[in-house]
Amino acid sequence: MAVIQLFNEIGTIFRNTPTFALVLEIFLLITVIWLLLHKRGGGRRRRFTKEEEDFIIENYEPEPLVGETDPDHPLLRTRLVASKVGKRINVDGHDCLNLGSHNYLGFLEDQDILEEACKSLRKYGVGSCGPRGFYGTMDVHLELEERIAKFMDLEEAIVYSYGFSTVASAIPAYAKRGDIIFVDEGVNFAIQKGLDASRSTIAFFKHNDVKDLERLLVEQEKRDQKNPKKALKTRRFLVAEGIYMNTGKICPLPELVALRKQYKLRIFIDESVSFGTLGKGGRGVTEHFNIDRDEIDLISAGMEGSMATIGGFCVGSHFIAEHQRLSGLGYIFSASLPPMLTQAAISALDRFEREPQIFEQLQAKAQLLHQIFSRFSKLRLCGDELSPVKHLYLAIPGETFDAERKRLIDVADKCIARGVAVVEAAYLQNRERKPVRPSIRVAVNRLLEEAEISAAFEIIENVSSAVL
Amino acid sequence: MGNFDAFEQGLASPNGNGRLPNGHGCPKDSPSVDNQLKFSAPAYTEIRTRRCNAKAAAESKNASSSTYHPERKVLLNGHAAAAREHKSECKPNQAEGKLSPEMEHYQKTSFEEVPMHTACLTYLGFYLLMILGYINQLLFVPKVATEKGREGYVALYDAFESFYSRYVYRRIKDCWNRPICSVPGDELTLKDRVTDDYGWSFKFTGTETRCLNLGSYNYLGFAAATGRCADESEERARDAGLAYCSSRCELGNNAQLEELEKLTARYFGVEDAIVFGMGFATNALNLPSLLGPNCMVVSDEKNHASIILGLRLSGATIKVFKHNNMRDLERVLRDGICYGNTKNGGKPWSKVMIIVEGIFSMEGSIVRLPEVVALKKKYKAYLYLDEAHSVGAMGSHGRGVTDYYKVDPKDVDILMGTFTKSFGSAGGYLAGSKKLIDFLRTNSHAHCYAGSISPPIAQQILTSMKTIMGEDGTETGRNKIMQLARNTRYFRRRLAQLGVITYGHEDSPVVPMLVYLFSKIGAVVRTLTTRHIAVVGAGFPATPIMEGRIRFCLSAAHTKEQLDYALEVIDETSDDLGLKYSRKPRDPNPIEY
């Protein structure tokens, strides 16, 4: 009975419905069924049968894991150092004057630092056997962080166990997808990797060209005006190096800071070269330009240069630096810096504070070397006068970078054989953002004498004139 | 938790749905299938019990209780000597090979499911903490550094992230980053600190606490300030200085590092090796050289952050499979290869790489290597094995999981590991064919740009590695490996007997003990510290919200007395805090050391 009644009801409904509504409903019904069936039928792609799958797997031929390596590749042939590294160095059996190691202040030869490190070894052992979170924090790590913060007159420092990972972890701790980072195109490889890891939008400006940066900032401002909602969520960063490892030039910090204020950027400076070399007290590029360090959001530096140990640190306000203790991947997930190397950094800071004249000595030597090395006939010196890192390029550009590199290697080899250790800067040309022009990278040591620099000049000049 | 459900069902379900995944992907053909199905969770315990019964020794727990205490060091040495006497019957960490590998793995691995009410309580507890945090944030002015001089800027931090670290994590912040001032050996010295403002800041009291160390990754006990390793490292530091201030490709290469690379290659029985100054960077800076955008990576869901970072930098397509689940691995591989790069119109992948770890540091599980190797061969994939925790700690020669399973190391395309843990130093290595290593020498980021390893650090690796290999002419290395294996089995069995839930494989020296509730992590770590035991806690976001845990890392430096002391304290603490969640039948017999 009920069924018949139901049918009657439905019949009434149909009869009372206008035709166009009926047609529409039927059409909708068909669409729904079609969509449902279509989805079940394999979605966007057709499923293979088991036999087909087996066939594909059978025939799948992957590329080899790695390609063949040219046995003459320049990076395969590394030079052997057979002595303690200092002002003199034994390379491939030749006793040389060292113009290649980034031992700017000559601390590698310092007996006091070594003694204190060995004392530390006798207290803590060699390794720390754990990340900072899990009993890898030793009192020396805390002491070093406190000392760096005090030295830089900032609130907080955070120590990493590897120079490369310091800036490469610091950048992605703050910059995320959707943010924008303005970067000098001359930045070193570690910064490039940090940028990659952040997944932010990257805008490169020409090396040390503030005008170009401003152009990019204006473009961004226009974009922001078009989409103000997005602009409210986009963090803006500016990343530069104090002294560029790859060019030896000092960044124009006052102009960068002015732009930071105008365009509300957060500025990160990598001071791997400039820390402990620039400024009256070795406090880096901020001291050099006499800029208040509060203007900079984060300073990072490797300790593998002037401090002559291993690792790196970031220093800034408590608000900024503390964040890395929970977000800096290379900090959280890596074993902490071996205590003896931490102690070496503390001892280096002791020296920084006790003998601030070493920085002026180093800068004087850098200037002296700059003057003397500007006179090469076949090589062109590049880099700032005060910078302890300088590059020698071929005065007459070669046809290709490969050709240039081959000739520079030849020069370096012959210089080493004649008692001056200089090396061509090593780059992974195919992995850099864009190929870097080959050069011989010269590192200045505070302990060099004028006579030694002149003698080195003679040798390099003779060799380069003969070879090039 | 979902991933472990499947795992557990694999053990318990009799209907074939939960059949164990098998290396060859077609379980029907395998003769051991019927056997496999018989093993349900209770059966597993029975087997263990029977085996223990047969061997039951007279020595029992009360014979040694409370003779050890970290603050009474004198007693220790006598007992340590006594403990070393019956070393002869001790076996190294080694797959026994009596059963099929899959079977043996299942018997020895445990991921017990959480009781329902604990699960509910855990979530409830967590949300309660969150709500309290929000109220706290509303009512009180946060006592936290604010940004100065950056008005009008876009906020630097994500709101939830900073809320979580300020109002949830802060409550148990004192359980991490605890400063020590000694060697992280079998014992360590904690620098006591107090907080007057509920975890916002800490102050040192000036006192120190000597604790038994169950937290450091000192698996083979090479962390020491005296002895051969320390002596040779010091000597090397005096000879060669503390650093090179240059990369390997410029002026940072030396004979010692070349020797270390040759020794590492010999240690694993492969053609060549390359070493780096940091373990984290070994993954993060080398994976991008090996993989490109048209590569597919099949990665275990519990892989370490360094691997994930490396993969992200490489631009490869990442597919994740369930933790140590071979059936899921095969499914992902099969799907991936059959359908190719779907983002690129189904083009075949140029390379497919499987990435697994030897021992998973948070789970305490051991990779099912023989099955992974079989799958790798079947699907022509490459295998990258991260042995950060397993190198030194596994296998009768300490060569890691390949040694443990007696798998040919050449079947693993890339062996990776760190020197931080078992070797008591710092750094990492990649080992494999000559062709691979030559490629890395010309393409590795770390090799070309990062500073080379410090001489004393490299010396520590050399000395400890030679000791493990027995090339120093003593049995020290072998004894250490034995001692670790013995400590591991004893400690894990005793914990199971106590009725707490532990995760992972019975031969893994990483022992996570599940406490589930967020607040219990703090409670356990603090209580154990008052009893002079230093342990590591792990909670969200390092683990799923559900699975707060305490992790014990065993070491060859631990003696039976130390472990007994720890177990006794853990027993009492577990009673007080209600940690005995396990519903498995417990072994009534004393566990033999």
Side-chain angles (χ1 to χ4, degrees), chain A residues 239-256:
Chain A
V239 177
E241 277 181 81
I243 293 177
Y244 288 88
M245 185 56 128
N246 292 357
T247 61
K249 287 187 180 145
I250 299 178
C251 72
L253 194 62
E255 287 90 335
L256 296 181

Side-chain angles (χ1 to χ4, degrees), chain A residues 45-48 50 53-54 56-58 60 62-69 73 75-76 78-81 84-85 98 100-102 108 114-115 117-118 121-135 137-139 142 155 161-162 164-165 174 189 193 196-197 199 231-235 237 260 264-266 294-297 304-305 308-310 318-320 323 326-327 329-330 333-335 338 340-341 344 423 425-428 430-432 441, chain B residues 145 147-148 150-157 161 165 169 176-184 190-191 204 216-218 223-226 230-231 233-234 237-245 248-251 253-255 258 277-278 280-281 285 288-290 304-305 309 312-313 334-335 337-339 342 349-353 379-380 382 413-414 420 424-426 435-436 438-439 441-445 448-452 454 456-457 460 534-536 551:
Chain A
R45 65 188 191 199
R46 193 176 66 87
R47 296 290 311 183
F48 294 117
K50 193 169 178 312
E53 284 188 356
D54 286 339
I56 293 171
I57 291 162
E58 189 76 19
Y60 171 64
E63 281 173 17
L65 177 60
V66 292
E68 289 296 334
T69 307
H73 195 290
L75 291 181
L76 272 185
T78 46
R79 300 182 173 85
L80 273 186
V81 175
K84 199 171 184 168
V85 179
N98 190 353
S101 307
H102 298 267
L108 275 184
L114 182 65
E115 282 308 320
C118 287
L121 164 72
R122 289 303 179 180
K123 185 175 177 199
Y124 302 98
V126 177
S128 58
C129 284
R132 288 291 294 269
F134 304 157
Y135 303 102
T137 302
M138 311 209 165
D139 44 3
L142 298 178
E155 288 168 2
S161 54
Y162 208 40
F164 193 110
S165 289
Y174 304 96
F189 195 72
K193 289 297 114 183
D196 285 356
R199 296 193 265 193
L232 280 177
K233 284 187 189 157
T234 312
R235 283 169 286 228
F237 298 89
R260 170 192 86 63
K264 296 200 185 337
L265 307 168
R266 290 173 196 279
D294 289 342
E295 299 289 341
I296 312 296
D297 291 272
E304 291 160 13
T309 171
I310 303 280
H318 182 82
F319 177 80
I320 302 254
H323 180 66
L326 286 174
S327 316
L329 292 180
F333 293 107
S334 159
M340 66 184 303
L341 298 172
V423 281
Y427 299 109
L428 299 175
N430 52 346
R431 297 190 186 268
E432 287 274 352
R441 193 191 278 128
Chain B
E147 208 174 11
K148 287 176 213 107
R150 299 289 186 273
E151 289 78 22
Y153 276 58
V154 178
L156 186 56
Y157 304 128
E161 207 181 333
S165 72
Y169 166 71
W176 286 276
N177 299 308
R178 298 172 143 200
I180 67 171
C181 53
S182 70
V183 179
L190 280 180
K191 270 177 92 106
F204 288 107
S216 296
Y217 305 134
N218 175 27
T226 52
D231 291 348
S233 292
E234 182 175 344
R238 288 182 193 285
D239 271 4
L242 293 173
Y244 279 87
C245 292
R248 287 284 298 280
C249 291
E250 292 178 5
L251 285 178
N253 194 22
N254 57 69
E258 303 220 319
M278 184 200 201
F280 179 89
L285 301 181
S289 319
L290 294 167
H304 191 251
L309 176 64
R312 199 202 287 175
L313 288 174
R334 213 178 161 82
D335 256 27
I337 292 171
C338 290
Y339 297 100
T342 43
W349 301 103
S350 51
K351 288 176 223 172
V352 175
M353 188 183 278
Y379 291 98
K380 296 168 207 157
Y382 300 105
D413 299 278
I414 306 153
T420 315
S425 187
K435 189 176 157 191
L436 169 78
D438 276 350
F439 176 82
R441 281 183 214 284
T442 53
N443 282 282
S444 160
H445 305 171
C448 183
Y449 295 98
S452 71
S454 158
I457 306 297
Q460 164 84 15
V535 294
V536 163
R551 189 177 63 181

